[in-house]
Amino acid sequence: MDHQGTAEERFRALHESTFADLLRFVERRVPPDEAEDIVSTVYLTAWRRHTELPEDARPWLFAVARRTMANQTRGWLRRRALDVRLTATEQHEVPDGSSGTAARLDLQRAWRSLSAADREVLALVAFDGLTSDQAATVLSIRRSTFTMRLARARQRLQAALEPVPPRTLQELS
């Protein structure tokens, strides 16, 4: 009984410390009405395999969530469901056309121009707060491979954010 109590306490602590991050991770990738079901499935898997959980279980949970999303969205919706959507968590629109609004629009345009793979590696680090080691675990790739993909994705995002040089009248005609 003592062993079960310890496992249950460890699982409760894991759930409490990771639930919000895991839910946000999933919500960026699937429609909101499916996110809680996927997260529930992830924790059910974690409970069933609690003796196998690594010390830092957060990347393991994200990887299980990713596989669960893929399994639940096979077919025509799969590609879209695993894509990372750039959502404004806080809407502070200023009606005067401030540079903040312009910068958000530039970022949204640049984000949409990236491939789904680039958005995924950037989101794992920027939105989900994972280290390169953890993100590599989520994607089931080596850390060096993840680091290379992240560097290239950052370069492509930076290039997409660069201002477009104004066209001359000759170029337009």
Side-chain angles (χ1 to χ4, degrees):
M1 185 73 173
D2 186 52
H3 174 66
Q4 180 66 25
T6 303
E8 188 174 324
E9 289 168 11
R10 181 172 180 236
F11 184 79
R12 285 181 192 271
L14 172 68
H15 184 271
E16 186 176 308
S17 68
T18 59
F19 179 80
D21 288 343
L22 184 62
L23 183 60
R24 278 191 299 272
F25 173 83
V26 172
E27 285 176 336
R28 278 192 284 275
R29 290 159 178 84
V30 299
D33 58 327
E34 295 177 27
E36 287 189 17
D37 288 340
I38 290 170
V39 170
S40 295
T41 300
V42 170
Y43 283 111
L44 180 60
T45 302
W47 175 249
R48 288 179 178 156
R49 298 180 62 188
H50 72 276
T51 60
E52 304 169 33
L53 293 177
E55 188 63 35
D56 180 9
R58 189 167 172 247
W60 184 89
L61 292 170
F62 282 36
V64 171
R66 213 166 172 271
R67 286 190 298 274
T68 302
M69 287 182 282
N71 288 339
Q72 289 190 1
T73 57
R74 297 243 189 258
W76 66 273
L77 187 57
R78 181 178 183 188
R79 190 165 175 84
R80 176 70 181 126
L82 288 180
D83 196 3
V84 179
R85 293 182 299 276
L86 181 64
T87 58
T89 55
E90 297 180 37
Q91 292 279 346
H92 295 294
E93 298 281 336
V94 180
D96 67 356
S98 71
S99 62
T101 300
R104 269 194 310 280
L105 292 174
D106 288 344
L107 179 57
Q108 288 174 346
R109 178 191 49 77
W111 187 259
R112 283 191 308 270
S113 76
L114 297 174
S115 70
D118 282 349
R119 289 190 295 265
E120 180 72 8
V121 295
L122 290 167
L124 287 170
V125 173
F127 299 157
D128 300 315
L130 298 179
T131 65
S132 292
D133 286 334
Q134 293 170 329
T137 299
V138 170
L139 298 176
S140 300
I141 59 177
R142 291 191 320 257
R143 183 185 168 284
S144 59
T145 303
F146 177 81
T147 303
M148 181 179 62
R149 287 183 188 176
L150 179 61
R152 289 179 180 166
R154 283 177 173 160
Q155 289 171 350
R156 286 189 278 267
L157 179 60
Q158 183 64 40
L161 286 169
E162 294 294 324
V164 178
R167 293 184 173 182
T168 64
L169 288 176
Q170 285 180 330
E171 291 174 351
L172 293 174
S173 47

